[in-house]
Amino acid sequence: SQQGEEDPQALSIQEGENATMNCSYKTSINNLQWYRQNSGRGLVHLILIRSNEREKHSGRLRVTLDTSKKSSSLLITASRAADTASYFCATAMDSNYQLIWGAGTKLIIKP
Amino acid sequence: EAQVTQNPRYLITVTGKKLTVTCSQNMNHEYMSWYRQDPGLGLRQIYYSMNVEVTDKGDVPEGYKVSRKEKRNFPLILESPSPNQTSLYFCASTLLGTYNEQFFGPGTRLTVL
């Protein structure tokens, strides 16, 4: 079952600009995670935000979580060509190690 | 180096010919999982395992088998592959614990003719 839905499906921006991706989900969660996937490769964990947190930072990444709206956003500041990838959100529900994934946002950074 | 390995990375086979995709992790993780990734559908879980000899179905288990005889290995078996199993497959692992990230293998691209 698909829980998260990312928006937009694709995003193309100039290097140096900020990129914002959104994720919406349907049921209550324990935590929400963001992953990056370079073309055809394995996913790499970026950041995890717990249900009782509202914002989290990691380097150029900023994640927000609004549990009342069941949504999260991932902001990448000062984008670089190396940020070109697909970004997925995944939600974990209570007492559960299972992750439910969205379909991803494809981000292209133009030099 | 801490990692999840999968073999083979690429496989082209024919309908009905049994195959196994291996997965191994060196991080002493209890939890291991198999996903398939298809365009526009994100990742869908096939099977997962919480520990040795403990396996459970995910969202799309039909046509697949798994085993967990050792903590580090979690092979995916397709007894009679069909074309609708053509996909990109990922193995992942994590420590048991509510907030733990999953570590992914590099993927296996399977084509069933």
Side-chain angles (χ1 to χ4, degrees):
Chain A
S1 57
Q2 199 161 323
Q3 156 97 300
E5 291 185 10
E6 284 94 339
D7 170 59
Q9 290 186 331
L11 179 61
S12 180
I13 60 173
Q14 292 294 139
E15 193 167 18
E17 294 180 339
N18 295 342
T20 300
M21 288 157 271
N22 303 297
C23 170
S24 60
Y25 57 91
K26 298 173 185 168
T27 63
S28 63
I29 61 172
N30 178 288
N31 67 79
L32 184 145
Q33 303 178 29
W34 285 91
Y35 288 76
R36 184 186 74 230
Q37 182 182 32
N38 291 93
S39 181
R41 295 176 177 258
L43 284 77
V44 174
H45 182 264
L46 294 176
I47 197 164
L48 180 152
I49 186 165
R50 303 177 188 185
S51 59
N52 61 354
E53 297 175 315
R54 291 298 165 257
E55 189 169 311
K56 205 159 180 182
H57 296 255
S58 176
R60 293 184 296 112
L61 306 181
R62 173 177 164 250
V63 169
T64 61
L65 180 64
D66 187 335
T67 53
S68 67
K69 294 182 180 177
K70 292 186 170 59
S71 68
S72 172
S73 68
L74 170 67
L75 168 67
I76 304 174
T77 60
S79 62
R80 305 167 182 170
D83 295 327
T84 293
S86 291
Y87 292 81
F88 294 87
C89 70
T91 53
M93 289 180 279
D94 288 343
S95 303
N96 198 321
Y97 306 104
Q98 310 308 93
L99 292 179
I100 301 177
W101 300 80
T105 292
K106 187 170 185 176
L107 174 65
I108 297 172
I109 309 298
K110 296 179 285 187
Chain B
E1 180 191 352
Q3 60 182 344
V4 179
T5 56
Q6 292 179 230
N7 282 292
R9 295 288 315 280
Y10 302 90
L11 179 60
I12 300 174
T13 189
V14 295
T15 299
K17 186 176 181 182
K18 181 180 178 179
L19 66 93
T20 300
V21 184
T22 64
C23 172
S24 182
Q25 50 91 8
N26 62 0
M27 296 169 279
N28 204 35
H29 288 169
E30 298 94 342
Y31 182 94
M32 297 185 75
S33 178
W34 275 103
Y35 296 94
R36 61 178 289 174
Q37 184 179 30
D38 302 289
L41 294 179
L43 274 77
R44 293 181 292 166
Q45 190 176 51
I46 303 170
Y47 270 95
Y48 65 97
S49 169
M50 303 278 270
N51 215 326
V52 176
E53 303 292 1
V54 180
T55 62
D56 266 304
K57 296 177 181 179
D59 294 323
V60 289
E62 292 76 23
Y64 304 95
K65 283 176 59 177
V66 292
S67 69
R68 188 92 183 272
K69 294 186 171 61
E70 307 162 281
K71 198 172 188 179
R72 63 185 294 127
N73 296 323
F74 190 45
L76 178 70
I77 303 154
L78 284 72
E79 297 254 346
S80 183
S82 62
N84 64 11
Q85 292 179 298
T86 291
S87 187
L88 181 56
Y89 291 87
F90 290 102
C91 180
S93 71
T94 189
L95 280 170
L96 288 182
T98 312
Y99 302 121
N100 291 321
E101 64 180 276
Q102 292 198 9
F103 292 82
F104 281 78
T108 295
R109 188 168 291 280
L110 172 66
T111 301
V112 183
L113 301 175

